[in-house]
């Protein structure tokens, strides 16, 4: 009986998803046929985005791209929506490439993390990324832009369109919202310059998400496969660093407010930490003293040796910690498992089609 009700509910939800999918298709068709204008910034734009709601690893990939572009001698600016930021300014400069100017609550947690990890890059937030790019160019010298979470932001021309798909979430690409996690149909992947399958360990990983994409699109270039590796532990609030084996066999309460809490749990478990409890909050959560008190009390009740969280969450809870808190964040690095040569070729923007303009 329960199974029958569940199937019936899924059927109704799938019907509810059809108008959403049709609206997404119509919007894209309108831009493709010139009903709505697509505007172009006078510098190359690299978009990093996904087809689904939730986390696919956009932030670590953006930081990796900034590193590679900076190594080419390029001055990079990241344009982000700044989701759930508390500043109401239409455009906000998070970093001028020399110093971080605002905190995570004003900027949004992901732009702040990018600004902190990529001190040489300009980071700015605003809903209208074209207006934001022009605003940045009026103030600072920039050679290229990286558009964070921009796959659906089709009103802005991009010279390179990178689409991320999470290898650990094949269920998420099976249906549109609200029953699934798709923002638009799988066939939209044909707009991508390259598809990056994230959270893979082997050169042939991610087949469970790659095959549905191929079936929906007919033909696609070979994917770039990307892994996120733990690099070290950093004590939240002090920056003290410890190697990955420092807490092997120790007990911990994990807490996070990210798009894919399960991937974080699996990462920490792989480091030999005994997880007593996992507290998964909504993505981009705003922590309060009351929440931190609850997390602290949970760890005490469970007899946990330490608290473990993500880098993104660490920035937000730092002001809420006390000296006695043994709270550590896992620092990640991005590793290209396969397709490195193709990705490097695409990132050579000097020869990319559509490039206009020079230095600001």
């Amino acid at each position: 009986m329960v199974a029958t009700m569940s199937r019936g509910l899924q059927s109704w939800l799938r019907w509810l998803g059809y108008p959403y999918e049709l609206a997404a298709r119509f919007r894209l068709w309108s831009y493709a046929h010139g009903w709505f204008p697509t505007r172009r910034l006078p510098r190359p734009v690299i978009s990093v985005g996904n087809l689904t709601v939730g986390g696919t690893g956009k932030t670590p990939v953006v930081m990796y791209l900034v590193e590679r572009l900076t190594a080419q001698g390029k001055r990079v600016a990241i344009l982000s929506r700044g989701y759930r930021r508390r500043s109401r300014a239409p455009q906000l400069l998070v970093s001028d490439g020399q110093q971080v100017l605002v905190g995570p609550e004003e900027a949004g947690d992901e732009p702040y993390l990018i600004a902190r990890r990529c001190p040489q890059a300009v980071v700015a937030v605003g809903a209208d990324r074209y207006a934001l790019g022009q605003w940045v160019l009026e103030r600072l010298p920039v050679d290229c832009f990286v558009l964070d979470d921009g796959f659906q932001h089709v009103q802005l021309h991009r010279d390179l369109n990178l689409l991320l798909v999470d290898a650990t979430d094949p269920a998420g690409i099976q249906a549109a919202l609200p029953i699934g996690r798709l923002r638009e149909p799988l066939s939209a992947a044909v707009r991508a310059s390259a598809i990056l399958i994230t959270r893979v360990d082997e050169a042939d990983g991610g087949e469970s998400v790659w095959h549905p994409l191929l079936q929906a699109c007919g033909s696609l270039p070979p994917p770039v496969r990307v892994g996120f590796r733990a690099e070290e532990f950093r004590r939240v609030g002090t920056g003290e660093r410890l190697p990955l084996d420092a807490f092997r066999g120790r007990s911990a309460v994990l807490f996070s407010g990210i798009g894919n809490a399960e991937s974080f749990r699996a990462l920490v478990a792989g480091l030999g930490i005994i997880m007593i409890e996992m507290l998964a909050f909504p993505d981009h959560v705003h922590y309060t003293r009351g929440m931190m008190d609850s997390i602290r009390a949970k760890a005490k009740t469970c007899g946990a040796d330490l608290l473990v969280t993500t880098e993104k969450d660490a920035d937000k809870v730092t002001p809420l910690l006390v000296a006695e808190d043994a709270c550590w964040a896992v620092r990640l690095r991005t590793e290209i498992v396969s397709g490195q040569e193709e990705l490097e070729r695409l990132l050579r923007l000097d020869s990319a089609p559509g490039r206009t303009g020079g230095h600001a």
Side-chain angles (χ1 to χ4, degrees):
M1 179 68 175
V2 173
T4 302
M5 289 177 65
S6 177
R7 285 194 297 270
L9 177 60
Q10 287 188 9
S11 177
W12 275 108
L13 287 173
R14 194 174 295 275
W15 274 104
L16 288 172
Y18 289 146
Y20 184 94
E21 182 175 332
L22 286 172
R25 288 180 183 272
F26 178 74
R27 176 175 174 269
L28 293 170
W29 184 90
S30 298
Y31 274 102
H33 288 78
W35 283 24
F36 302 140
T38 297
R39 296 179 291 181
R40 183 191 295 261
L41 286 168
R43 302 291 183 274
V45 173
I46 300 172
S47 171
V48 178
N50 51 12
L51 289 174
T52 57
V53 295
T56 56
K58 292 185 299 295
T59 298
V61 168
V62 165
M63 294 189 291
Y64 175 85
L65 296 176
V66 171
E67 177 185 310
R68 301 308 304 151
L69 292 165
T70 302
Q72 296 178 21
K74 297 214 166 34
R75 294 170 295 195
V76 186
I78 296 99
L79 305 179
S80 175
R81 177 183 168 194
Y83 183 67
R84 294 204 68 190
R85 65 185 175 107
R86 288 189 165 166
S87 168
R88 298 187 176 219
Q91 291 97 23
L92 180 68
L93 196 61
V94 181
S95 171
D96 60 4
Q98 297 184 349
Q99 60 181 329
V100 180
L101 303 171
V102 296
E105 295 295 319
E106 292 176 271
D109 47 21
E110 289 164 353
Y112 178 82
L113 174 59
I114 294 168
R116 188 172 57 75
R117 285 284 300 267
C118 305
Q120 71 279 43
V122 173
V123 181
V125 296
D128 185 335
R129 257 64 69 86
Y130 173 78
L132 182 63
Q134 295 283 27
W135 183 82
V136 168
L137 286 172
E138 290 169 2
R139 288 158 177 77
L140 294 164
V142 169
D143 293 317
C144 61
F145 292 101
V146 175
L147 183 62
D148 180 30
D149 195 13
F151 197 73
Q152 285 77 37
H153 199 75
V154 290
Q155 56 265 49
L156 179 61
H157 169 84
R158 67 286 312 277
D159 299 86
L160 186 59
N161 209 15
L162 303 180
L163 174 64
L164 275 56
V165 183
D166 186 348
T168 67
D169 185 34
I173 63 170
Q174 289 180 3
L177 294 165
I179 191 172
R181 291 174 52 201
L182 284 172
R183 296 172 172 177
E184 53 181 314
L186 279 183
S187 57
V190 297
R191 302 202 311 271
S193 309
I195 293 172
L196 279 60
I197 301 180
T198 61
R199 298 193 174 100
V200 300
D201 295 317
E202 307 94 16
D204 58 351
E207 292 301 302
S208 62
V209 294
W210 179 239
H211 285 308
L213 285 171
L214 279 177
Q215 289 177 347
C217 300
S219 154
L220 291 168
V224 176
R225 289 178 167 88
V226 180
F228 304 126
R229 311 292 182 235
E231 190 172 60
E232 63 183 3
F233 285 102
R234 294 207 174 187
R235 186 159 187 165
V236 182
T238 71
E240 179 187 352
R241 301 161 68 173
L242 287 178
L244 292 177
D245 60 358
F247 302 122
R248 187 172 295 277
R250 302 280 295 277
S251 62
V253 167
L254 277 60
F255 69 94
S256 66
I258 57 176
N260 190 335
E262 176 57 28
S263 68
F264 176 57
R265 186 207 63 77
L267 177 79
V268 174
L271 299 176
I273 292 175
I274 301 168
M275 185 192 72
I276 296 180
E277 185 140 357
M278 171 78 178
L279 304 174
F281 300 106
D283 197 8
H284 307 286
V285 64
H286 290 291
Y287 288 94
T288 64
R289 292 199 179 276
M291 290 173 67
M292 199 63 230
D293 287 343
S294 297
I295 295 168
R296 193 180 289 117
K298 177 68 70 175
K300 184 176 180 180
T301 301
C302 295
D305 297 324
L306 63 154
L307 300 171
V308 180
T309 191
T310 72
E311 268 197 292
K312 186 171 86 167
D313 294 286
D315 291 326
K316 293 185 286 187
V317 302
T318 295
L320 307 175
L321 297 179
V322 297
E324 296 76 25
D325 287 329
C327 185
W328 294 81
V330 185
R331 184 182 175 101
L332 300 180
R333 72 175 188 276
T334 299
E335 178 181 291
I336 307 302
V337 178
S338 68
Q340 173 91 45
E341 186 176 333
E342 175 60 13
L343 183 59
E344 293 289 341
R345 183 188 69 78
L346 291 169
L347 291 176
R348 290 195 285 271
L349 296 173
D350 291 328
S351 59
R355 171 154 192 184
T356 59
H359 291 305

